[in-house]
Amino acid sequence: MSEQHLPVVVIGGGPVGLAAAAHLVERGLEPLVLEAGPSAGTAVREWAHVRLFSTWAELVDPAAEKLLAPTGWTAPAGDTYPTGGDWVAAYLQPLADVLGDRVRFGARVTGVSRAGRDRVVDAGREDRPFTVHILWTDGGGGGREERILARAVIDASGTWSTPNPLGGDGLPALGERAAADRVAYRVPDLTDPAVRARYAGKRTAVVGSGASAFTALALLAGLAKDEPDTHAVWILRRGITGSTFGGGEADQLPARGALGLRAKAAVEAGHASAVTGFRTEAVERRPDGGLVLVGDDGRRLDPVDEVVVLTGLRPDLSFLGELRLGLDERLQAPLALSPLIDPNVHSCGTVYPHGANELAHPEKDVYLVGMKSYGRAPTFLALTGYEQVRSVAAALAGDREAAERVELTLPETGVCGGAGVFDEPDASEAPQSGGCCGAPATLQIGGTVTSGGC
C-alpha cells in the first residue's frame, strides 16, 4: 500500500498545528489539519481576553509568514503584545484561510492506529499507513464518522481541554464535582458583565502558582479597586520564596516577569492573601452556599464564594491508545524531552531547543508537538512549538540535516532552582552555583518576611 499520495494528518488547528501545516507545504508535503472546534485557534479564542507575554515577533512562525506574504498580509508590529483574540484575528485565522481546504473544522479525532494493526501486532507494522478516525461535529454532517489514511501523524491538539483538578493528589477533591457551579478552571474574563458580576464583591480562592494564577490575581486585584469586598485568597501548595513570583526584572521576557510582579503587588496591597503549603483534599458547601476548602493536613480555610483552579493542564492521550508511544511515566512527555523540562529537577525557563529526534516515538512517523509534547510540564512557548514542527517537517521530508539543526535560542525566565512542583528545598539543598538569576532571596509579603531559595 503506497503512502506517498497520502496526507500528513495534523491534529489541532491552533498556533502550532497551523505552523506545522505551513512547514509541510514548504517541504512539498500535503497536510490535512483536523480541528475539533468550529474555527482556527478554538482554544485560544477561549482566552481571548488574556494578553500574551510574548511579543508579535515571537508569535509568528517564519514558514507561515512566507505562506501569508503573497496575500498582502502584513505582520503586526513585532514589539507589541497581543491578546489571545488579537492573535487569532490578525494571524491564526488568516493562516487557516490561506491553507484553505487543507484545514477541516468540526473534525474531532477519536482514534489513531496503523491500518489493520492494533498496538500488539509487529508484522509489517511500519509498512502500513495510519488510520485516523474522525467524528464530524459541525455542519450538516454532524455526528457522521469517517476513517481516513495518513502517511504520518502530528498531534498538536494541545492540553487546553484537560485542566488539572483542584485535588492536591492529581484527582478531583472530594466534593469538587458537586461544587462545579462555583469552580472554574480558566482565567476569568472580567470584561464580560456576567463574569464580572460573578466575582465582584466576592471572596475567590485562586489555586495555582504559574502565569495563569498571576493573571487571575492581577485581574481580581483590579476588580477590588472598583468593587468593595472583592478579595482573592491565593492558595499555594508550597511556601512563598524569592522565586514564587517568577524572575521579575531578570526574566528575558519582560512582560512575563512583570506579570509576577503584578501578582506580588496584589498581595502587598491587601487585595489578595496567601495560604501556603495547602493541598486541597475536599470541598464542602455550607448552607449559605459558601465553599470551605479542606487540606490534607486537616486545615479548614475560611469560606469563599468562588474557586478558580489554575493548577496546570494535562494531555488527552485517550485517542492514541493503539499507538506505541514512548512517554515519561511522570510528565507524559516524550522520553528524550522529559529530562529537559522536568519541573522536579529544575524550574529554570531555559529549555534546550529540540526537534524530531527528541520527539520521536517507537511508532515511526508519529509526533506529539506543541503543548501536547510537554505533557504535564509548564512554561511552554510558541517559539518552542515552531522550532519543533520545523524539525519534524524536515524529518518527514527526509532532510535529516535540517531536522537536527538548531535554529532557536529560548529566553530564560530568571527563575532557577529545583523542586519546581513541590516543596522548596532547604537552604542547604539550594543550588550553590549557576542558580540564582536575580530574584530576591528575601521577600516581604503583607508585613511578614519569608526567606527561601532563589
Side-chain angles (χ1 to χ4, degrees):
M1 185 181 297
S2 172
E3 298 183 26
Q4 298 307 309
H5 67 288
L6 297 177
V8 176
V9 163
V10 179
I11 305 173
V16 177
L18 294 174
H23 281 278
L24 291 167
V25 169
E26 188 174 57
R27 287 282 178 176
L29 302 176
E30 188 62 22
L32 178 60
V33 180
L34 301 175
E35 165 58 45
S39 57
T42 297
V44 179
R45 292 173 191 268
E46 292 192 24
W47 49 270
H49 59 292
V50 176
R51 191 166 299 280
L52 288 90
F53 48 64
S54 295
T55 63
W56 267 115
E58 298 154 333
L59 295 170
V60 175
D61 175 80
E65 188 167 9
K66 291 179 185 176
L67 201 60
L68 284 163
T71 69
W73 181 85
T74 302
D79 60 350
T80 58
Y81 295 88
T83 63
D86 297 333
W87 202 13
V88 170
Y91 171 64
L92 298 179
Q93 191 59 56
L95 179 54
D97 292 342
V98 78
L99 286 165
D101 291 341
R102 296 184 177 104
V103 183
R104 309 285 178 84
F105 300 110
R108 181 173 299 281
V109 173
T110 59
V112 183
S113 186
R114 290 280 186 179
R117 303 288 188 272
D118 62 21
R119 68 182 296 161
V120 176
V121 179
D122 290 332
R125 187 174 191 86
E126 289 193 1
D127 297 328
R128 309 289 294 183
F130 293 94
T131 178
V132 180
H133 286 223
I134 304 168
L135 175 65
W136 294 95
T137 59
D138 272 3
R144 176 174 60 88
E145 293 184 276
E146 184 179 358
R147 185 190 73 164
I148 63 173
L149 299 179
R151 61 172 293 184
V153 175
I154 300 174
D155 183 356
S157 59
T159 55
W160 180 253
S161 64
T162 45
N164 288 333
L166 174 61
D169 54 8
L171 301 173
L174 299 179
E176 181 174 347
R177 294 186 181 92
D181 61 320
R182 297 290 187 88
V183 180
Y185 301 87
R186 311 297 188 202
V187 175
D189 180 5
L190 299 183
T191 65
D192 182 324
V195 175
R196 187 179 180 87
R198 176 174 176 173
Y199 296 98
K202 306 289 181 62
R203 282 175 54 85
T204 299
V206 177
V207 187
S209 59
S212 294
F214 292 166
T215 303
L217 288 169
L219 291 174
L220 290 170
L223 181 63
K225 295 175 181 177
D226 300 327
E227 299 286 348
D229 299 324
T230 301
H231 188 78
V233 181
W234 187 22
I235 299 177
L236 300 101
R237 294 172 179 172
R238 52 183 176 176
I240 290 180
T241 71
S243 64
T244 297
F245 295 97
E249 294 179 359
D251 197 321
Q252 291 183 14
L253 290 176
R256 181 171 58 189
L259 187 59
L261 296 178
R262 287 181 65 194
K264 178 174 179 285
V267 175
E268 292 181 332
H271 298 310
S273 54
V275 177
T276 61
F278 190 90
R279 298 174 187 87
T280 308
E281 185 174 86
V283 182
E284 296 178 358
R285 189 189 291 267
R286 289 159 44 101
D288 62 4
L291 301 178
V292 174
L293 303 188
V294 183
D296 62 3
D297 57 0
R299 276 188 291 170
R300 300 170 63 85
L301 303 185
D302 291 338
V304 296
D305 302 293
E306 301 284 344
V307 180
V308 177
V309 182
L310 300 169
T311 54
L313 306 162
R314 60 182 61 178
D316 177 8
L317 300 168
S318 61
F319 57 88
L320 304 175
E322 293 305 317
L323 297 177
R324 298 176 177 181
L325 303 180
L327 298 175
D328 178 79
E329 62 185 9
R330 295 160 298 175
L331 299 186
Q332 297 176 300
L335 285 168
L337 176 59
S338 290
L340 306 179
I341 61 176
D342 188 351
N344 287 292
V345 177
H346 64 82
S347 56
C348 282
T350 300
V351 176
Y352 292 107
H354 54 275
N357 287 344
E358 292 81 5
L359 299 172
H361 293 278
E363 194 78 70
K364 185 175 179 291
D365 293 339
V366 170
Y367 297 95
L368 276 58
V369 300
M371 282 287 294
K372 188 76 170 271
S373 72
Y374 266 43
R376 299 193 183 200
T379 65
F380 180 82
L381 296 174
L383 284 172
T384 302
Y386 297 162
E387 171 68 2
Q388 287 178 341
V389 296
R390 181 204 62 78
S391 174
V392 166
L396 291 175
D399 187 346
R400 294 307 308 181
E401 187 277 329
E404 295 174 6
R405 187 170 62 239
V406 173
E407 296 187 2
L408 174 65
T409 300
L410 293 171
E412 297 184 13
T413 63
V415 179
C416 299
V421 292
F422 208 60
D423 297 326
E424 290 294 326
D426 294 333
S428 61
E429 299 174 347
Q432 298 301 309
S433 63
C436 293
C437 304
T442 303
L443 180 67
Q444 185 166 337
I445 299 292
T448 63
V449 176
T450 304
S451 297
C454 60

